[in-house]
Amino acid sequence: MTSSQTIERTNFDLGSEEFNTIAQLLYRESGINLGPGKDSLVKSRLSKRLRSLGLSEFSEYLDHLKADRSGQEVRMFVESLTTHKTSFFREAAHFEFLRREVLPKWISEKTKVRIWCAGCSSGEEPYSLAMMLREDYPGLDRNKVQILATDISSEIISKSREGRYSMDAVRDVPPALLKKYFRPIDADGVRRYEVTNPIRDLVAFARMNLMSQWPIKGLLQVIFCRNVMIYFDKRTQRALVERFVDLLDTGGYLFIGHSESLTGVTEDLRYVQPAAYQKC
Ligand SMILES: C[S@@+](CC[C@H](N)C(=O)[O-])C[C@H]1O[C@@H](n2cnc3c(N)ncnc32)[C@H](O)[C@@H]1O
């Protein structure tokens, strides 16, 4: 096959052994468990990577991954296979619960309230938290509340830091908040919305793999790990939740996605409301 034919290819053949090797590598690197039937997803996501490297077979790509001493290609591989679906004020009941039941107590009792969005994707979740906090406590600064927002994907962390969103992405932001906390930017006939400093100032972004060491010192009052563990198996979920429990302050909360459950995962957290758990 000529290189121009390679560039034009839209998909590549993926054998079951190659799929298994890819699934094992992804599991080892990120905890993501690719169940059966995910081969077409793998093919479509990684084909782009093969094309940009000028490769014509998955076997060549696997050799390229094996030869990667810098870890750069493995990162790109994981980035290609992660799902970043998110939105502002997603699963709004959690924000309401925090605003009503949790924050008033923590803000008055604690010197500093620390919130972690683990698996924050493109930033909509931590920025939603920051807007909610700013609305209720306008004088807050980073000495009082800090939102740490992390994700395995460097690309998505750069996007989060940039904080620019399409009109479609801000559709769930209430108009008053959109007006107050975003700056419209028009370029090439396209309008985008940029998060402004009073919101940015409360959030610190970092690339962090949940499967690795976490450089987090001290206790946290709230952990959001929503729609992330859904991609992990029970064993990985158990190990991760155990680490979350160790980091949580007594009375602190862990929020997971509404389609997820901690049944059979931990007994150290008390169920409070759908997808919300408290350390007792
Ligand atoms: C579907 S998004 C969820 C975003 C947000 N929490 C929400 O609920 O809207 C899942 C995010 O988890 C991240 N992720 C997956 N595995 C991870 C890992 N091992 N460490 C850190 N982040 C991970 C993905 O990159 C992705 O951005």
Side-chain angles (χ1 to χ4, degrees):
M1 182 177 289
T2 66
S3 62
S4 63
Q5 280 171 314
T6 308
I7 287 162
E8 279 158 21
R9 280 186 71 163
T10 51
N11 240 327
F12 299 83
D13 293 330
L14 177 68
S16 62
E17 250 182 60
E18 288 159 347
F19 173 79
N20 289 340
T21 307
I22 285 170
Q24 279 163 19
L25 180 62
L26 185 66
Y27 184 72
R28 198 180 73 213
E29 294 294 326
S30 69
I32 295 171
N33 185 30
L34 284 175
K38 295 283 187 211
D39 36 345
S40 52
L41 177 133
V42 168
K43 257 202 276 190
S44 70
R45 299 256 183 108
L46 288 180
S47 287
K48 201 171 149 210
R49 193 73 206 121
L50 266 72
R51 274 198 302 278
S52 66
L53 290 165
L55 303 175
S56 50
E57 305 285 343
F58 267 102
S59 59
E60 287 175 13
Y61 181 59
L62 290 175
D63 289 344
H64 179 70
L65 274 170
K66 249 189 240 158
D68 170 38
R69 295 273 168 263
S70 68
Q72 186 60 24
E73 187 56 42
V74 174
R75 278 194 187 195
M76 303 277 271
F77 162 83
V78 173
E79 300 223 350
S80 304
L81 292 171
T82 41
T83 300
H84 303 298
K85 184 182 169 348
T86 187
S87 54
F88 284 100
F89 297 101
R90 184 180 190 184
E91 302 180 4
H94 284 162
F95 293 91
E96 241 343 278
F97 177 73
L98 269 177
R99 160 176 256 163
R100 239 188 15 249
E101 310 279 337
V102 179
L103 290 170
K105 178 177 172 318
W106 286 126
I107 301 266
S108 69
E109 285 178 10
K110 290 276 163 192
T111 319
K112 186 165 186 170
V113 177
R114 299 174 76 213
I115 300 173
W116 180 19
C117 287
C120 65
S121 188
S122 37
E124 287 87 334
E125 185 176 82
Y127 286 139
S128 301
L129 284 166
M131 278 188 267
M132 186 191 83
L133 280 155
R134 269 271 171 267
E135 280 298 282
D136 287 358
Y137 309 94
L140 277 187
D141 64 19
R142 251 195 189 168
N143 294 322
K144 182 67 188 175
V145 174
Q146 191 183 24
I147 302 166
L148 170 66
T150 65
D151 201 280
I152 195 170
S153 161
S154 326
E155 210 177 295
I156 209 82
I157 285 296
S158 303
K159 218 177 146 200
S160 302
R161 282 202 187 104
E162 190 189 55
R164 288 188 183 175
Y165 298 94
S166 66
M167 285 177 83
D168 186 48
V170 297
R171 69 187 178 280
D172 295 326
V173 179
L177 299 191
L178 189 64
K179 194 162 176 235
K180 198 163 168 187
Y181 298 120
F182 290 80
R183 189 166 66 90
I185 300 175
D186 296 311
D188 304 325
V190 179
R191 169 155 287 198
R192 300 181 82 207
Y193 290 88
E194 187 178 70
V195 177
T196 54
N197 285 344
I199 297 308
R200 283 179 192 276
D201 288 351
L202 297 179
V203 187
F205 288 102
R207 181 192 175 267
M208 201 194 291
N209 184 349
L210 288 168
M211 298 302 118
S212 309
Q213 295 282 330
W214 305 337
I216 300 178
K217 304 252 181 299
L219 294 173
L220 301 162
Q221 283 68 47
V222 177
I223 300 176
F224 268 50
C225 187
R226 306 189 311 162
N227 308 297
V228 179
M229 287 192 281
I230 197 167
Y231 303 106
F232 301 161
D233 61 13
K234 280 274 178 241
R235 192 168 133 230
T236 308
Q237 290 177 5
R238 265 188 220 114
L240 184 57
V241 170
E242 207 171 291
R243 294 173 75 197
F244 285 151
V245 170
D246 286 346
L247 263 187
L248 274 178
D249 207 346
T250 305
Y253 291 87
L254 171 65
F255 294 91
I256 61 172
H258 277 85
S259 60
E260 302 169 290
S261 156
L262 292 189
T263 308
V265 172
T266 183
E267 283 165 14
D268 295 331
L269 296 172
R270 179 178 79 89
Y271 171 89
V272 202
Q273 67 163 52
Y277 297 82
Q278 185 178 31
K279 178 171 169 178
C280 300

